[in-house]
Amino acid sequence: MLGLMQSQPLLTASLIRHAERHHGDGEVISRRVEGDIHRTRYREVAARARQVAQALDALGLAGGDRVATLAWNGYRHLELYYGVSGSGRVLHTLNPRVHPDQLVWMANHAHDKVLCFDLSFLPIVQAVHRRCTSIAHFVVLCDSNKVPAGSGIPGLQSYERWIAPHPTDYEWPVLDEHAASSMCYTSGTTGDPKAVVYSHRSTVLHALSSALPDALNLSARDCVMPVVPMFHVHAWGLPYAAVLTGAKLVFPGPAMDGKSLHDLMEAEQVTLAAGVPTVWHMLLSYLHTHQLRLRSLRRAVIGGAPCSPAMLAAFRVDHGVEVVHAWGMTEMSPLGTVSAPKHKHLAWPDADQARLTLTQGRAVFGVDMKIVDEQDAELPWDGVQAGELMVRGPWVLCDYYRDPGVSPVTDGWFRTGDVATIDADGFMRIMDRRKDIIKSGGEWISSIDIENVAQGHPAVGQAACIGVPHPKWNERPILVVVLTPGCQASRDDILAYFDGKAPKWQVPDDVVFVASIPVSGTGKMQKATLRDQLKGYRLPGT
Ligand code: AMP
């Protein structure tokens, strides 16, 4: 017997159609590359997305053709999200922070046909466009009078002139929900980048689940600011989940410094913002230096890298902001787990609740996970035994696009490359990336745990813990530190700070002071590069 419910494919266009009909006057605010603040509404975003769809028809693009973007978070990027995918093409968000050679590789690998880019990326496009052999159309996201003369880019036209001739009435096609809607590349530390291709179905399901109260807890009463870029796993899906709920959206554009973020948050009364710890660190330092408060923000979503105890305390104690600690991956659209307490945890003392928030949390509906040993045997959820984390679900990839390598999936489970524990309540704690974990005398040391302790020292601005060779113990941890501007601390001060905060055998053997720690295009510390930089380093006494 079949159910007697209407059958409708899950398509991204349904999100913007819903927002247009039910939240038509919902605001979308953007700080533009030009520096001004632009204001629009869902009604208008939907209409202009339909113009984008017809502009792509007019270029003769077929269903499934790739349209690349190289753009900050803003309303035009949002219109492209919906216009490109909704019309059956595939949105490819390029990350402008990767090396230009990699951009060329990605554009050619994806076989992009169109590139839409922000004015600030003109120099990059000028440098690479000849090598992007499949791109036939270049569109710059600005008004027609802002197109730079003599750019050297053939046929370059403004976004506004490109969409203007097309009417706003257009019927979104009924696509196969399994069709590709978008793609992006992981910035692998070795080898070529790998492409993850999302479907309409996976994107809509991910949006539904990430809006739930125990996930990002989004509603039409929220004002959402995705600080995480729309070129980094779709700003963690917020341009879909926020549109689904009808929340007000605020895009910070290129200005991610503490002052710009704070000004915009206060002016637009942002209630939820999402970003990686490096961005939050900048904002918190700015607020601390200028004795400022976050008056409207209620929830800060922290993901992409671990939230440290010091950052949690700054949000909770100094600003009264709830931290939503989330874990995920490009391969998972990206949301996997969120550190939302359960009813029984509400009676816990503050310190225990904080400890819970510092775990990466429990699986959101739709994601299943397990930890396994070296032989792939499942390990118990006792919060102690650590193993490789594997995940599965309708928004977890089943394979990379056009990749000849070994399948990343075993028996339906995707290997995350993260080492984690899971406790009896299902709270997962990432110990490390498998390649970053430090193996000392047959025991594992979590570099994240060591960094979390170090971050509590007031003079430590940034800290990275890496393993270095040791004749007896195989590897020993050292701490690489960037001092907080204006602060001083010696090696011994910092090591003494670990007393009672970490087991003695896990305390780093040395501290190396550096001016900066290399960070990837998605805001993660690049430990492989750091290890390379410190190749000549020898532990004292070895
Ligand atoms: P990406 O695909 O670039 O978003 O990177 C995904 C990886 O980032 C994960 O496999 C983790 O190693 C790391 N990651 C993401 N979120 C967290 C988190 N909350 N805590 C620790 N590591 C994280």
Side-chain angles (χ1 to χ4, degrees):
M1 182 174 172
L2 291 177
L4 290 173
M5 289 293 125
Q6 297 180 11
S7 170
Q8 287 184 6
L10 301 174
L11 302 174
T12 58
S14 64
L15 302 174
I16 195 70
R17 192 189 290 123
H18 176 81
E20 180 180 23
R21 283 177 69 79
H22 302 280
H23 306 281
D25 67 349
E27 286 187 288
V28 177
I29 314 298
S30 315
R31 190 192 291 280
R32 299 204 292 186
V33 171
E34 295 90 318
D36 61 345
I37 302 290
H38 177 273
R39 313 188 78 84
T40 185
R41 296 183 186 275
Y42 281 130
R43 195 178 291 131
E44 211 176 323
V45 169
R48 282 161 56 90
R50 292 194 291 268
Q51 288 181 287
V52 168
Q54 295 183 84
L56 294 169
D57 288 352
L59 294 182
L61 256 67
D65 277 350
R66 268 73 71 200
V67 176
T69 59
L70 197 58
W72 299 112
N73 294 5
Y75 67 105
R76 289 180 178 126
H77 207 172
L78 187 68
E79 291 159 9
L80 284 162
Y81 261 51
Y82 286 99
V84 172
S85 307
S87 68
R89 282 85 185 197
V90 181
L91 177 87
H92 173 198
T93 50
L94 284 163
N95 181 345
R97 294 186 183 137
V98 304
H99 191 277
D101 290 347
Q102 279 210 339
L103 276 185
V104 172
W105 190 92
M106 291 174 193
N108 289 338
H109 185 264
H111 211 76
D112 294 333
K113 293 263 174 76
V114 183
L115 174 62
C116 302
F117 62 96
D118 265 333
L119 257 181
S120 37
F121 303 125
L122 180 68
I124 302 182
V125 180
Q126 283 173 317
V128 302
H129 73 91
R130 277 192 200 82
R131 291 191 283 150
C132 298
T133 47
S134 56
I135 301 180
H137 308 281
F138 293 90
V139 177
V140 56
L141 301 173
C142 64
D143 292 332
S144 49
N145 60 357
K146 296 270 172 32
V147 181
S151 69
I153 298 168
L156 182 65
Q157 61 177 325
S158 81
Y159 178 81
E160 295 303 332
R161 176 156 296 168
W162 181 50
I163 65 169
H166 303 285
T168 55
D169 57 340
Y170 170 87
E171 274 299 312
W172 296 112
V174 180
L175 307 164
D176 177 347
E177 65 177 11
H178 294 284
S181 57
S182 61
M183 63 191 295
C184 65
Y185 284 75
T186 61
S187 36
T189 42
T190 53
D192 289 327
K194 293 184 191 309
V196 181
V197 180
Y198 310 93
S199 69
H200 283 268
R201 175 187 155 84
S202 70
T203 306
V204 172
L205 289 175
H206 178 266
L208 275 167
S209 196
S210 42
L212 287 172
D214 274 359
L216 306 186
N217 191 8
L218 300 177
S219 79
R221 293 169 295 292
D222 274 310
C223 174
V224 175
M225 181 197 261
V227 183
V228 51
M230 287 165 81
F231 55 75
H232 181 201
V233 220
H234 306 131
W236 299 343
L238 284 170
Y240 302 111
V243 169
L244 175 149
T245 57
K248 174 177 171 180
L249 260 173
V250 178
F251 291 121
M256 248 94 81
D257 60 286
K259 178 175 179 1
S260 305
L261 288 180
H262 181 249
D263 287 354
L264 197 56
M265 281 179 177
E266 295 295 300
E268 299 301 333
Q269 295 288 290
V270 169
T271 58
L272 176 139
V276 294
T278 38
V279 166
W280 287 127
H281 181 70
M282 266 186 328
L283 176 68
L284 290 169
S285 310
Y286 169 80
L287 299 177
H288 182 73
T289 309
H290 296 87
Q291 293 291 298
L292 294 167
R293 289 273 161 275
L294 291 165
R295 279 176 304 196
S296 62
L297 196 72
R298 291 204 298 270
R299 298 189 300 290
V301 181
I302 305 180
C307 166
S308 69
M311 183 166 289
L312 177 68
F315 272 118
R316 282 168 63 133
V317 181
D318 301 351
H319 296 282
V321 169
E322 180 193 339
V323 164
V324 179
H325 189 197
W327 167 87
M329 302 182 75
T330 306
E331 287 87 341
M332 300 176 67
S333 306
L335 193 61
T337 61
V338 180
S339 66
K342 299 182 179 183
H343 181 261
K344 65 180 178 185
H345 298 131
L346 300 180
W348 281 16
D350 248 23
D352 292 340
Q353 287 202 29
R355 246 193 304 283
L356 200 67
T357 306
L358 290 170
T359 71
Q360 278 66 20
R362 52 197 171 86
V364 296
F365 170 76
V367 171
D368 193 9
M369 62 183 180
K370 64 175 181 178
I371 42 173
V372 297
D373 67 13
E374 306 273 302
Q375 283 72 46
D376 278 356
E378 186 166 0
L379 292 167
W381 291 18
D382 59 8
V384 177
Q385 296 193 62
E388 182 170 12
L389 182 64
M390 296 174 91
V391 291
R392 64 179 178 189
W395 55 82
V396 177
L397 100 169
C398 60
D399 209 348
Y400 294 107
Y401 174 66
R402 286 182 60 206
D403 181 64
V406 190
S407 169
V409 170
T410 309
D411 295 333
W413 291 87
F414 170 69
R415 286 182 184 281
T416 64
D418 285 332
V419 175
T421 60
I422 305 178
D423 74 12
D425 286 328
F427 283 75
M428 184 270 287
R429 193 172 73 86
I430 298 271
M431 285 185 72
D432 245 319
R433 290 295 288 163
R434 209 169 43 176
K435 53 188 190 308
D436 292 334
I437 205 153
I438 298 158
K439 296 181 190 84
S440 178
E443 298 284 346
W444 284 354
I445 300 176
S446 157
S447 65
I448 293 177
D449 285 355
I450 302 299
E451 288 154 10
N452 278 345
V453 174
Q455 295 284 1
H457 190 295
V460 173
Q462 259 188 306
C465 178
I466 56 170
V468 294
H470 188 281
K472 179 168 174 202
W473 303 111
N474 178 36
E475 265 189 334
R476 284 297 299 155
I478 63 162
L479 197 64
V480 184
V481 167
V482 180
L483 287 171
T484 308
C487 291
Q488 285 301 324
S490 68
R491 165 191 185 276
D492 293 345
D493 287 340
I494 292 176
L495 294 182
Y497 183 73
F498 278 83
D499 278 356
K501 298 189 181 78
K504 271 204 163 41
W505 64 276
Q506 295 195 1
V507 176
D509 282 11
D510 198 9
V511 179
V512 175
F513 293 96
V514 294
S516 65
I517 290 172
V519 174
S520 74
T522 53
K524 296 182 207 304
M525 290 194 283
Q526 286 184 305
K527 294 200 180 165
T529 314
L530 195 59
R531 281 191 285 264
D532 263 5
Q533 288 173 356
L534 294 172
K535 227 191 238 143
Y537 170 86
R538 289 282 164 275
L539 273 173
T542 63

